[in-house]
Amino acid sequence: MTNFLQQLAPGDKCKFGTWVKLPTFETLEMLAISDFDFVVIDMEHAPHTLETTYRLIVAAQGFGLRALVRLPDSGGALVQRILDSGADGVLVPRVRNVDEARAVADGLCFSPGGSRGLGITSRAGHWGLKSTPEYVLEGNRDVFRAVQLEDASALRDAAEILAVEGINAAFVGPGDLALSTGKPATHPENAALIDGLLATCRDRGMPCGTAVGDAAAAREARERGFSYVMVSNDCTLFGKAAQALMRGIRG
């Protein structure tokens, strides 16, 4: 089976996912039935514990979804256990410069490229049934390791940040970028920064993702050149459906 990185190879179809904020297997299963490609279990803006995240990873993969995890911060305290839980990859929020990117990459990769600890008896190591060389090879080669570039300065320095060994994907958060610049998300200056990031990723053959609110914006992101797009989130999808239903009833 191809890994998530291979599915995002240049020229392949854009992949669509959503943020997971609900700790429920039923909603995960409905996302899989609805033909989402992947989910991102959100530890930054949802109250998922490590144990809940682990169980959501296992369930999502069992339903046929790729399971990524957005870490709670860029500090890296949980990253080793998240990767040993068998996640297909991680998104690391608020990476602002090359030094932070190097620190992030160090915790995501095994020696000699990093300092991730050997956990062959974890789920990622098939509970000790996978050989150590295979576990290390797959951990370095196959894991999706994306940095979220959300400040204007980080996007201006994207070429240097994405050149850090071990980083193999990028993500831009339009909302946080707008907060950083003080300009609306659609402002030409913000658009130029995002276009610059997309160009850098194309030059490096690196996947670049973003988050949008609806289907029309998702199609626009695909046409713009994004490799993977998060569309809304499980809570908002449910909330909007419930709201539309009651508005239809009550007029």
Side-chain angles (χ1 to χ4, degrees):
M1 180 186 293
T2 57
N3 61 52
F4 191 59
L5 271 175
Q6 290 169 328
Q7 292 178 348
L8 299 177
D12 283 3
K13 293 180 180 179
C14 180
K15 302 299 180 185
F16 296 100
T18 194
W19 304 104
V20 169
K21 298 178 182 292
L22 296 170
T24 55
F25 297 160
E26 293 83 358
T27 46
L28 271 180
E29 187 172 26
M30 284 187 284
L31 292 173
I33 292 169
S34 299
D35 205 28
F36 278 85
D37 297 303
F38 70 98
V39 292
V40 183
I41 300 156
D42 191 359
M43 297 187 78
E44 184 187 22
H45 293 300
H48 293 311
T49 64
L50 177 63
E51 182 176 351
T52 298
T53 299
Y54 166 77
R55 299 194 182 283
L56 290 171
I57 291 167
V58 175
Q61 291 172 338
F63 294 138
L65 294 162
R66 293 296 184 178
L68 310 178
V69 176
R70 175 157 67 176
L71 300 176
D73 53 54
S74 61
L78 295 179
V79 67
Q80 182 161 297
R81 285 184 285 178
I82 293 296
L83 293 181
D84 276 343
S85 295
D88 292 290
V90 295
L91 278 73
V92 185
R94 306 308 297 257
V95 175
R96 293 166 293 186
N97 53 54
V98 170
D99 288 341
E100 289 183 359
R102 286 181 181 138
V104 164
D106 181 72
L108 292 171
C109 299
F110 292 114
S111 179
S115 62
R116 178 182 168 185
L118 196 69
I120 190 66
T121 55
S122 66
R123 180 171 181 262
H126 291 180
W127 308 112
L129 301 182
K130 187 179 286 186
S131 72
T132 298
E134 182 183 15
Y135 163 80
V136 172
L137 174 65
E138 291 178 357
N140 282 338
R141 181 192 63 195
D142 297 344
V143 171
F144 176 88
R145 300 182 288 266
V147 289
Q148 294 188 194
L149 305 182
E150 301 168 274
D151 297 333
S153 60
L155 269 78
R156 294 189 187 102
D157 295 338
E160 290 77 18
I161 292 172
L162 298 180
V164 171
E165 190 71 26
I167 302 301
N168 57 22
F171 172 88
V172 59
D176 281 309
L177 176 60
L179 287 176
S180 170
T181 63
K183 298 178 174 63
T186 56
H187 192 279
E189 289 184 22
N190 291 349
L193 288 170
I194 293 172
D195 286 340
L197 174 62
L198 282 165
T200 297
C201 288
R202 280 195 300 272
D203 290 344
R204 298 186 62 83
M206 179 179 287
C208 186
T210 193
V212 300
D214 56 35
R219 291 192 297 269
E220 290 174 6
R222 175 184 61 195
E223 296 306 313
R224 194 172 181 182
F226 285 101
S227 312
Y228 64 104
V229 180
M230 274 78 89
V231 189
S232 190
N233 65 79
D234 52 4
C235 282
T236 301
L237 289 170
F238 171 78
K240 285 187 174 180
Q243 186 181 66
L245 174 67
M246 292 313 299
R247 283 178 175 173
I249 291 171
R250 301 186 191 281

